[in-house]
Amino acid sequence: MSNLDDIRREYTLGGLHREELPDDPMVLFEKWMQEIRDANVLTDPTAMSVATVDEHGQPFQRIVLLKRFDDNGFVFFTNLESRKAEQIAQNSKVSLLFPWHPLERQVAITGVAEALSTTEVLKYFITRPKESQIAAWVSKQSSKISARQALESKFAEMKAKFSKGEVPLPKFWGGYVVKPSSIEFWQGGEYRLHDRFLYSRQDVGWDISRLAP
Ligand SMILES: Cc1cc2nc3c(=O)[nH]c(=O)nc-3n(C[C@H](O)[C@H](O)[C@H](O)COP(=O)(O)O)c2cc1C
């Protein structure tokens, strides 16, 4: 068995203090998102893990890209017939995780995923490069396929089909907004005395609790 016991380090970049927390977690999320982007230490700073569960309670996770966020929640785009979409249709409770470890941070979110309207999806779809638009038509995401060749020939077929004019939005392609019910901010601290603050949504505003590391 490979032993990784010796791989450890101290977290020393800084602390998170109660008095510096905004009432609104989205304000802190926006600040942290800006800081991880400015730090230029991650190739995909907007990548987040999305966890869903199947009908047996088995959790699944995968990375998607966060495309926008505001008071409504966190938006990502995907195939509406994918495994994740099927699981969300059964149980819309999801969890998101941003692993921003170069800054000794993580943000963990719980919430409910709601499908975006076609208008909202289209607004994003038309900003994608044409090849990505075509690829949306090509991949029956999460289904079993025989070989890569099948994908490539479908891509060539669709590329020819849509060579002129706009690529239409596939009806099986869309997005979700995750409406947060809790957002936890974790900042690594020396000697494993990390700072954790959990924002929990209330009828009005948010409750803020410090959690033990
Ligand atoms: C960096 C990165 C970004 C990704 N972005 C997306 C995305 O925005 N949307 C998406 O559907 N899949 C994205 N994927 C692929 C997913 O991780 C996943 O393989 C796919 O969505 C199928 O998941 P599912 O079978 O659980 O539905 C990305 C993967 C990586 C590694």
Side-chain angles (χ1 to χ4, degrees):
M1 183 191 270
S2 298
N3 187 321
L4 307 173
D5 288 357
D6 288 346
I7 298 185
R8 67 166 68 85
R9 66 186 176 98
E10 282 298 324
Y11 300 109
T12 55
L13 288 180
L16 186 61
H17 309 287
R18 179 66 184 84
E19 57 281 7
E20 76 197 32
L21 296 181
D23 294 341
D24 180 352
M26 295 312 274
V27 172
L28 184 55
F29 182 82
E30 187 171 12
K31 177 171 182 283
W32 279 24
M33 175 60 89
Q34 198 57 53
E35 287 172 355
I36 191 70
R37 291 176 61 200
D38 291 347
N40 227 354
V41 284
L42 282 179
T43 43
D44 297 301
T46 60
M48 59 181 183
S49 171
V50 182
T52 53
V53 287
D54 73 6
E55 69 271 32
H56 307 296
Q58 169 65 57
F60 288 78
Q61 297 180 63
R62 76 290 287 159
I63 303 285
V64 300
L65 297 180
L66 178 71
K67 286 296 171 182
R68 56 184 82 109
F69 61 94
D70 59 21
D71 288 344
N72 272 323
F74 302 87
V75 168
F76 66 93
F77 294 92
T78 192
N79 183 301
L80 300 177
E81 294 171 358
S82 62
R83 181 177 56 184
K84 75 181 85 50
E86 278 174 12
Q87 293 177 353
I88 288 169
Q90 297 272 335
N91 179 350
S92 60
K93 287 183 181 162
V94 302
S95 173
L96 308 177
L97 185 92
F98 293 87
W100 288 333
H101 33 88
L103 294 189
E104 302 173 353
R105 288 173 173 172
Q106 67 179 337
V107 180
I109 295 161
T110 62
V112 167
E114 281 181 18
L116 295 173
S117 70
T118 309
T119 316
E120 284 171 287
V121 174
L122 191 58
K123 221 191 293 174
Y124 170 68
F125 188 75
I126 59 176
T127 70
R128 301 186 93 204
K130 190 162 187 182
E131 284 72 21
S132 308
Q133 294 177 337
I134 294 170
W137 279 97
V138 169
S139 171
K140 204 168 161 357
Q141 197 177 51
S142 315
S143 64
K144 292 183 179 169
I145 55 174
S146 55
R148 182 174 176 88
Q149 179 56 37
L151 271 184
E152 289 177 1
S153 48
K154 186 99 198 245
F155 187 79
E157 184 194 317
M158 287 297 172
K159 208 170 166 187
K161 182 171 173 182
F162 297 128
S163 61
K164 292 202 186 71
E166 311 274 285
V167 179
L169 172 69
K171 66 173 187 330
F172 52 81
W173 200 87
Y176 295 92
V177 55
V178 175
K179 304 196 157 175
S181 44
S182 75
I183 306 184
E184 183 197 323
F185 295 87
W186 186 99
Q187 175 79 61
E190 228 173 343
Y191 317 123
R192 300 295 185 264
L193 301 180
H194 317 301
D195 289 312
R196 300 176 61 190
F197 286 99
L198 176 67
Y199 285 78
S200 306
R201 192 189 282 284
Q202 307 295 299
D203 291 341
V204 179
W206 296 82
D207 174 70
I208 305 177
S209 307
R210 181 186 268 278
L211 303 182

